[in-house]
Amino acid sequence: MSTHESHPNIIKRLKKSEGHIKSVIKMLESGRSCLDIAQQLHAVEKAINSAKKTLIHDHIDHCLNESISENKTSSELAVKEFKEITKYL
């Protein structure tokens, strides 16, 4: 399994999100206001979406590009994979 340059940064973002999710659970358990909780959930959602987008862009930039340039993948297969991964954006 190869690690991309972006993976350590993505892992950091996700671990930070994990901590925020735990704090949201504590907020709910302690009866904090819905506004405060919604604000925290929004921040978690943005962080996870950012990590996902970084991962997908990295895949497109490196994996797909490398496959095509090294003739490992036909252009038809590369387009299919591109369409498949972009549905997660």
Side-chain angles (χ1 to χ4, degrees), residues 51-61 85-86 88-89:
K52 178 180 68 172
K53 187 184 286 188
T54 300
L55 178 77
I56 291 169
H57 286 180
D58 184 60
H59 177 74
I60 291 167
D61 289 343
I85 199 162
T86 57
Y88 298 110
L89 283 173

Side-chain angles (χ1 to χ4, degrees), residues 18-36:
E18 179 183 34
H20 286 299
I21 290 171
K22 287 178 181 179
S23 78
V24 168
I25 292 168
K26 287 178 185 174
M27 290 171 76
L28 284 162
E29 292 172 341
S30 68
R32 293 280 299 270
S33 78
C34 291
L35 179 59
D36 289 344

Side-chain angles (χ1 to χ4, degrees), residues 2-9 55 58-59 62-63 66:
S2 67
T3 301
H4 298 265
E5 287 183 28
S6 66
H7 287 188
N9 188 32
L55 178 77
D58 184 60
H59 177 74
H62 296 100
C63 298
E66 184 179 306

